[in-house]
Amino acid sequence: QVQLVESGGGLVQAGGSLRLSCAGSGRTFSSSAMGWFRQAPGKEREFVSVINWSGASAIYADSVKGRFTISRDNAKNTVYLQMNSLKPEDTALYYCAATTYRSVITSHLRYNYWGQGTQVTVSS
């Protein structure tokens, strides 16, 4: 079992930055790939980024590539999402999720554990 708690969301102006954190508990955290997803009102949940169990490999959605960076600290059971050059279209509820896979997986259907989400709002 893995419990996940996100933090770091907030209101920021376009062009600004935020760093999201996801603290996990459970002994399987360090062996799990970790992903970030987001969902805007009236839209489906979409993939943002994923990092493999060791932190050596990551994938990004085209919409955030070059602006967002995912990282993890297994000693702290924490995964991060550094978000730079934020745009109004980045406004959404951001979720952290854990999968039983060790390698990168982009489909939300493959993730077993989810946090409660943290709201990111980017004003124009």
Side-chain angles (χ1 to χ4, degrees), residues 67-95:
R67 300 187 298 121
F68 290 11
T69 302
I70 191 171
S71 61
R72 68 188 298 162
D73 185 339
N74 285 343
K76 296 181 178 180
N77 274 12
T78 302
V79 63
Y80 305 96
L81 186 67
Q82 177 67 43
M83 305 186 297
N84 299 328
S85 302
L86 283 161
K87 305 175 181 180
E89 51 263 43
D90 294 318
T91 295
L93 188 60
Y94 282 71
Y95 295 93

Side-chain angles (χ1 to χ4, degrees), residues 17-36:
S17 298
L18 285 173
R19 188 174 84 152
L20 306 184
S21 298
C22 174
S25 62
R27 56 191 177 91
T28 61
F29 180 92
S30 61
S31 63
S32 300
M34 297 295 299
W36 286 98

Side-chain angles (χ1 to χ4, degrees), residues 97-111:
T99 175
T100 55
Y101 290 85
R102 293 164 68 92
S103 57
V104 291
I105 296 287
T106 61
S107 170
H108 71 279
L109 299 176
R110 299 295 186 182
Y111 286 78

